[in-house]
């Protein structure tokens, strides 16, 4: 079982809609969770991180964490064509906070 | 502020050749990493280094060696390249903290082994 699982997509949403991206993780003791955005041919860039159960908002982005169900999600409100990219979920392991485990990513297409 | 710099950006190797990917960071981070990214596989950790002089294996270390030359530099060596090592390689760094840890990536190195 992979440490981090994501639906590969593609997820297609119309411009202005809410895009919902999901991620599940296997290590129940994981403490820190991250969302990265990766444009084609570019390196991943951090969008936001979340440590505590509940929601964390940053502009049009909201990260949601549910440790009991072991999932973390990313909502993108008012989606723009420039949001079209692959979104990677990452988790820090329980026993080694030096190890980042990445999902394979969900490709998002925002259609004008 | 350069962040994480890796070279070369593109390289074509013949099977059996060797090469070294270089990486340097100027953020005074303790931890450095090498990942490879293949279609549908996501980012897979090859090796990491928590501090100068220490290195540890990740998920896919076979066929690679690393060297943490100093706090700034972390190199990845392919001793005898194989077509299965065709991939995009990312170097990354992070401050070693128990909380608030974030990882920052270089621009990537595209390696093709023919």
């Amino acid at each position: 079982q992979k440490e981090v699982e994501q639906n590969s997509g593609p997820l297609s949403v119309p411009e202005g809609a809410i895009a919902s991206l999901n991620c599940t993780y296997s290590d129940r003791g994981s403490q820190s969770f991250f969302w990265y955005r990766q444009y084609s041919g570019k390196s991943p860039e951090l969008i936001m991180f979340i440590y505590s159960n509940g929601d964390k908002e940053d502009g049009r982005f909201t990260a949601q964490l549910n440790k009991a169900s072991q999932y973390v999600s990313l909502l993108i409100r008012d989606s723009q064509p420039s949001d079209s990219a692959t979104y990677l979920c990452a988790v820090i392991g329980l026993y080694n906070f030096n190890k980042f485990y990445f999902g394979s990513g969900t490709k998002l297409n925002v259609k004008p | 502020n350069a962040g994480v710099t890796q070279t070369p950006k593109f390289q074509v190797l013949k099977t059996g050749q060797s090469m070294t990917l270089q990486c340097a960071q100027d953020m005074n981070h303790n931890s450095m990493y090498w990942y490879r990214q293949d279609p549908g596989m996501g980012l897979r950790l090859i090796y990491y280094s928590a501090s100068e002089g220490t290195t540890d294996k990740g998920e896919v270390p076979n066929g690679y060696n690393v060297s943490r030359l100093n706090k700034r530099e972390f190199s990845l060596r392919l001793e005898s390249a194989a077509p299965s090592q065709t991939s995009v390689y990312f170097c990354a760094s992070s401050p070693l903290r128990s909380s608030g840890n974030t990882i920052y990536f270089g621009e990537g190195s595209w390696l093709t082994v023919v």
Side-chain angles (χ1 to χ4, degrees):
Chain A
Q1 181 185 6
K2 292 187 65 176
E3 286 81 4
V4 181
E5 300 272 6
Q6 292 182 259
N7 189 320
S8 61
L11 173 67
S12 293
V13 300
E15 183 175 356
I18 296 176
S20 177
L21 304 163
N22 299 310
C23 167
T24 58
Y25 59 94
S26 60
D27 186 347
R28 184 169 291 277
S30 298
Q31 299 295 318
S32 304
F33 308 86
F34 306 83
W35 283 101
Y36 284 79
R37 177 177 61 200
Q38 186 176 25
Y39 292 113
S40 181
K42 302 294 184 182
S43 59
E45 55 179 338
L46 180 68
I47 297 175
M48 60 191 308
F49 56 86
I50 186 168
Y51 305 133
S52 305
N53 267 336
D55 296 358
K56 179 181 179 181
E57 187 174 318
D58 184 0
R60 296 186 296 112
F61 298 96
T62 298
Q64 299 175 317
L65 175 61
N66 184 322
K67 289 188 175 182
S69 300
Q70 294 178 239
Y71 83 80
V72 57
S73 61
L74 179 70
L75 301 178
I76 306 174
R77 291 182 300 281
D78 188 23
S79 295
Q80 300 297 309
S82 59
D83 294 326
S84 296
T86 296
Y87 289 80
L88 304 170
C89 174
V91 173
I92 289 183
L94 171 63
Y95 297 107
N96 186 343
F97 54 84
N98 208 9
K99 274 191 172 181
F100 290 78
Y101 294 98
F102 285 85
S104 56
T106 298
K107 185 173 177 60
L108 173 66
N109 291 328
V110 181
K111 298 181 178 180
Chain B
N1 188 354
V4 180
T5 304
Q6 55 182 111
T7 57
K9 191 169 180 66
F10 299 98
Q11 184 72 48
V12 179
L13 284 178
K14 293 183 179 179
T15 298
Q17 286 186 319
S18 62
M19 77 158 296
T20 299
L21 298 175
Q22 306 286 353
C23 176
Q25 52 92 9
D26 62 3
M27 295 177 283
N28 200 36
H29 285 169
N30 290 301
S31 299
M32 297 187 73
Y33 311 81
W34 278 105
Y35 284 89
R36 61 178 288 175
Q37 188 174 37
D38 304 292
M41 301 295 290
L43 285 160
R44 293 183 292 171
L45 181 63
I46 304 172
Y47 271 95
Y48 69 100
S49 170
S51 62
E52 183 180 348
T54 67
T55 61
D56 286 286
K57 295 179 180 179
E59 303 169 73
V60 288
N62 292 342
Y64 305 95
N65 287 304
V66 291
S67 178
R68 183 76 181 268
L69 304 171
N70 47 56
K71 191 171 185 178
R72 290 187 63 247
E73 299 173 288
F74 188 39
S75 62
L76 178 72
R77 183 162 178 82
L78 286 70
E79 292 290 353
S80 179
S84 61
Q85 294 178 304
T86 294
S87 188
V88 183
Y89 291 85
F90 288 101
C91 179
S93 71
S94 76
L96 185 63
R97 297 198 291 258
S98 58
S99 63
N101 229 7
T102 307
I103 192 168
Y104 301 89
F105 289 89
E107 294 188 339
S109 296
W110 274 254
L111 175 65
T112 301
V113 183
V114 298

